[in-house]
PDB file of all heavy atoms in Angstrom:
ATOM      1  N   LEU G  56      -8.555  -6.617  -6.705  1.00 95.00           N
ATOM      2  CA  LEU G  56      -8.392  -7.631  -7.700  1.00 95.00           C
ATOM      3  C   LEU G  56      -7.211  -8.557  -7.400  1.00 95.00           C
ATOM      4  O   LEU G  56      -7.294  -9.752  -7.585  1.00 95.00           O
ATOM      5  CB  LEU G  56      -8.190  -6.972  -9.081  1.00 95.00           C
ATOM      6  CG  LEU G  56      -8.061  -7.914 -10.275  1.00 95.00           C
ATOM      7  CD1 LEU G  56      -9.340  -8.716 -10.445  1.00 95.00           C
ATOM      8  CD2 LEU G  56      -7.744  -7.111 -11.502  1.00 95.00           C
ATOM      9  N   THR G  57      -6.090  -7.925  -6.964  1.00 93.00           N
ATOM     10  CA  THR G  57      -4.942  -8.751  -6.605  1.00 93.00           C
ATOM     11  C   THR G  57      -5.265  -9.737  -5.458  1.00 93.00           C
ATOM     12  O   THR G  57      -4.884 -10.904  -5.533  1.00 93.00           O
ATOM     13  CB  THR G  57      -3.779  -7.826  -6.142  1.00 93.00           C
ATOM     14  OG1 THR G  57      -3.478  -6.917  -7.209  1.00 93.00           O
ATOM     15  CG2 THR G  57      -2.537  -8.616  -5.787  1.00 93.00           C
ATOM     16  N   ILE G  58      -5.979  -9.247  -4.484  1.00 92.00           N
ATOM     17  CA  ILE G  58      -6.355 -10.171  -3.334  1.00 92.00           C
ATOM     18  C   ILE G  58      -7.303 -11.280  -3.816  1.00 92.00           C
ATOM     19  O   ILE G  58      -7.079 -12.405  -3.462  1.00 92.00           O
ATOM     20  CB  ILE G  58      -7.043  -9.339  -2.210  1.00 92.00           C
ATOM     21  CG1 ILE G  58      -6.019  -8.413  -1.542  1.00 92.00           C
ATOM     22  CG2 ILE G  58      -7.680 -10.209  -1.185  1.00 92.00           C
ATOM     23  CD1 ILE G  58      -6.598  -7.344  -0.663  1.00 92.00           C
ATOM     24  N   LEU G  59      -8.278 -10.917  -4.655  1.00 95.00           N
ATOM     25  CA  LEU G  59      -9.189 -11.937  -5.130  1.00 95.00           C
ATOM     26  C   LEU G  59      -8.554 -12.985  -6.016  1.00 95.00           C
ATOM     27  O   LEU G  59      -8.803 -14.191  -5.862  1.00 95.00           O
ATOM     28  CB  LEU G  59     -10.308 -11.270  -5.889  1.00 95.00           C
ATOM     29  CG  LEU G  59     -11.308 -10.446  -5.057  1.00 95.00           C
ATOM     30  CD1 LEU G  59     -12.287  -9.726  -5.969  1.00 95.00           C
ATOM     31  CD2 LEU G  59     -11.979 -11.253  -4.004  1.00 95.00           C
ATOM     32  N   VAL G  60      -7.618 -12.526  -6.892  1.00 94.00           N
ATOM     33  CA  VAL G  60      -6.906 -13.486  -7.736  1.00 94.00           C
ATOM     34  C   VAL G  60      -6.027 -14.414  -6.875  1.00 94.00           C
ATOM     35  O   VAL G  60      -5.941 -15.581  -7.101  1.00 94.00           O
ATOM     36  CB  VAL G  60      -6.027 -12.729  -8.781  1.00 94.00           C
ATOM     37  CG1 VAL G  60      -5.083 -13.662  -9.484  1.00 94.00           C
ATOM     38  CG2 VAL G  60      -6.993 -12.092  -9.795  1.00 94.00           C
ATOM     39  N   HIS G  61      -5.367 -13.832  -5.906  1.00 90.00           N
ATOM     40  CA  HIS G  61      -4.490 -14.622  -5.002  1.00 90.00           C
ATOM     41  C   HIS G  61      -5.280 -15.627  -4.207  1.00 90.00           C
ATOM     42  O   HIS G  61      -4.866 -16.785  -4.027  1.00 90.00           O
ATOM     43  CB  HIS G  61      -3.680 -13.742  -4.084  1.00 90.00           C
ATOM     44  CG  HIS G  61      -2.693 -14.478  -3.311  1.00 90.00           C
ATOM     45  ND1 HIS G  61      -1.540 -15.007  -3.936  1.00 90.00           N
ATOM     46  CD2 HIS G  61      -2.611 -14.843  -2.015  1.00 90.00           C
ATOM     47  CE1 HIS G  61      -0.820 -15.627  -3.017  1.00 90.00           C
ATOM     48  NE2 HIS G  61      -1.460 -15.522  -1.855  1.00 90.00           N
ATOM     49  N   LEU G  62      -6.487 -15.250  -3.728  1.00 92.00           N
ATOM     50  CA  LEU G  62      -7.279 -16.186  -2.990  1.00 92.00           C
ATOM     51  C   LEU G  62      -7.857 -17.271  -3.849  1.00 92.00           C
ATOM     52  O   LEU G  62      -8.105 -18.404  -3.425  1.00 92.00           O
ATOM     53  CB  LEU G  62      -8.421 -15.439  -2.252  1.00 92.00           C
ATOM     54  CG  LEU G  62      -7.968 -14.546  -1.069  1.00 92.00           C
ATOM     55  CD1 LEU G  62      -9.199 -13.759  -0.532  1.00 92.00           C
ATOM     56  CD2 LEU G  62      -7.279 -15.335  -0.031  1.00 92.00           C
ATOM     57  N   LYS G  63      -8.146 -16.946  -5.114  1.00 95.00           N
ATOM     58  CA  LYS G  63      -8.707 -17.959  -5.998  1.00 95.00           C
ATOM     59  C   LYS G  63      -7.693 -18.969  -6.465  1.00 95.00           C
ATOM     60  O   LYS G  63      -7.905 -20.171  -6.410  1.00 95.00           O
ATOM     61  CB  LYS G  63      -9.352 -17.272  -7.236  1.00 95.00           C
ATOM     62  CG  LYS G  63      -9.956 -18.271  -8.209  1.00 95.00           C
ATOM     63  CD  LYS G  63     -10.755 -17.592  -9.253  1.00 95.00           C
ATOM     64  CE  LYS G  63     -11.309 -18.565 -10.281  1.00 95.00           C
ATOM     65  NZ  LYS G  63     -12.184 -19.521  -9.751  1.00 95.00           N
ATOM     66  N   TRP G  64      -6.486 -18.486  -6.963  1.00 94.00           N
ATOM     67  CA  TRP G  64      -5.526 -19.375  -7.497  1.00 94.00           C
ATOM     68  C   TRP G  64      -4.305 -19.612  -6.621  1.00 94.00           C
ATOM     69  O   TRP G  64      -3.465 -20.444  -6.944  1.00 94.00           O
ATOM     70  CB  TRP G  64      -5.019 -18.841  -8.885  1.00 94.00           C
ATOM     71  CG  TRP G  64      -6.045 -18.909  -9.946  1.00 94.00           C
ATOM     72  CD1 TRP G  64      -6.847 -20.007 -10.260  1.00 94.00           C
ATOM     73  CD2 TRP G  64      -6.448 -17.889 -10.823  1.00 94.00           C
ATOM     74  NE1 TRP G  64      -7.654 -19.725 -11.285  1.00 94.00           N
ATOM     75  CE2 TRP G  64      -7.440 -18.398 -11.660  1.00 94.00           C
ATOM     76  CE3 TRP G  64      -6.068 -16.553 -11.008  1.00 94.00           C
ATOM     77  CZ2 TRP G  64      -8.065 -17.679 -12.643  1.00 94.00           C
ATOM     78  CZ3 TRP G  64      -6.674 -15.804 -11.961  1.00 94.00           C
ATOM     79  CH2 TRP G  64      -7.689 -16.354 -12.794  1.00 94.00           C
ATOM     80  N   TRP G  65      -4.156 -18.841  -5.573  1.00 90.00           N
ATOM     81  CA  TRP G  65      -3.074 -18.980  -4.620  1.00 90.00           C
ATOM     82  C   TRP G  65      -1.656 -18.957  -5.302  1.00 90.00           C
ATOM     83  O   TRP G  65      -0.794 -19.666  -5.041  1.00 90.00           O
ATOM     84  CB  TRP G  65      -3.222 -20.304  -3.816  1.00 90.00           C
ATOM     85  CG  TRP G  65      -2.605 -20.211  -2.455  1.00 90.00           C
ATOM     86  CD1 TRP G  65      -1.480 -20.846  -2.082  1.00 90.00           C
ATOM     87  CD2 TRP G  65      -3.029 -19.468  -1.336  1.00 90.00           C
ATOM     88  NE1 TRP G  65      -1.220 -20.525  -0.759  1.00 90.00           N
ATOM     89  CE2 TRP G  65      -2.180 -19.689  -0.290  1.00 90.00           C
ATOM     90  CE3 TRP G  65      -4.130 -18.620  -1.151  1.00 90.00           C
ATOM     91  CZ2 TRP G  65      -2.279 -19.146   0.944  1.00 90.00           C
ATOM     92  CZ3 TRP G  65      -4.304 -18.056   0.140  1.00 90.00           C
ATOM     93  CH2 TRP G  65      -3.397 -18.317   1.145  1.00 90.00           C
ATOM     94  N   SER G  66      -1.624 -18.035  -6.251  1.00 88.00           N
ATOM     95  CA  SER G  66      -0.393 -17.861  -7.064  1.00 88.00           C
ATOM     96  C   SER G  66       0.072 -16.415  -6.909  1.00 88.00           C
ATOM     97  O   SER G  66      -0.561 -15.486  -7.402  1.00 88.00           O
ATOM     98  CB  SER G  66      -0.642 -18.193  -8.517  1.00 88.00           C
ATOM     99  OG  SER G  66       0.426 -17.824  -9.303  1.00 88.00           O
ATOM    100  N   LEU G  67       1.253 -16.275  -6.294  1.00 84.00           N
ATOM    101  CA  LEU G  67       1.800 -14.922  -6.110  1.00 84.00           C
ATOM    102  C   LEU G  67       2.127 -14.272  -7.456  1.00 84.00           C
ATOM    103  O   LEU G  67       1.794 -13.112  -7.653  1.00 84.00           O
ATOM    104  CB  LEU G  67       3.082 -15.035  -5.283  1.00 84.00           C
ATOM    105  CG  LEU G  67       3.765 -13.700  -4.951  1.00 84.00           C
ATOM    106  CD1 LEU G  67       2.886 -12.814  -4.122  1.00 84.00           C
ATOM    107  CD2 LEU G  67       5.050 -13.983  -4.235  1.00 84.00           C
ATOM    108  N   PHE G  68       2.679 -15.022  -8.409  1.00 90.00           N
ATOM    109  CA  PHE G  68       3.062 -14.479  -9.713  1.00 90.00           C
ATOM    110  C   PHE G  68       1.801 -14.011 -10.442  1.00 90.00           C
ATOM    111  O   PHE G  68       1.705 -12.879 -10.978  1.00 90.00           O
ATOM    112  CB  PHE G  68       3.778 -15.485 -10.515  1.00 90.00           C
ATOM    113  CG  PHE G  68       4.254 -15.033 -11.856  1.00 90.00           C
ATOM    114  CD1 PHE G  68       5.255 -14.130 -11.968  1.00 90.00           C
ATOM    115  CD2 PHE G  68       3.585 -15.468 -12.982  1.00 90.00           C
ATOM    116  CE1 PHE G  68       5.658 -13.637 -13.190  1.00 90.00           C
ATOM    117  CE2 PHE G  68       3.986 -15.018 -14.275  1.00 90.00           C
ATOM    118  CZ  PHE G  68       5.081 -14.095 -14.347  1.00 90.00           C
ATOM    119  N   ALA G  69       0.768 -14.828 -10.479  1.00 93.00           N
ATOM    120  CA  ALA G  69      -0.463 -14.462 -11.208  1.00 93.00           C
ATOM    121  C   ALA G  69      -1.129 -13.223 -10.568  1.00 93.00           C
ATOM    122  O   ALA G  69      -1.595 -12.307 -11.291  1.00 93.00           O
ATOM    123  CB  ALA G  69      -1.457 -15.602 -11.257  1.00 93.00           C
TER     124      ALA G  69
END
Side-chain angles (χ1 to χ4, degrees):
L56 182 63
T57 303
I58 291 168
L59 292 174
V60 168
H61 187 69
L62 291 176
K63 179 171 177 63
W64 290 311
W65 208 251
S66 170
L67 181 63
F68 182 72

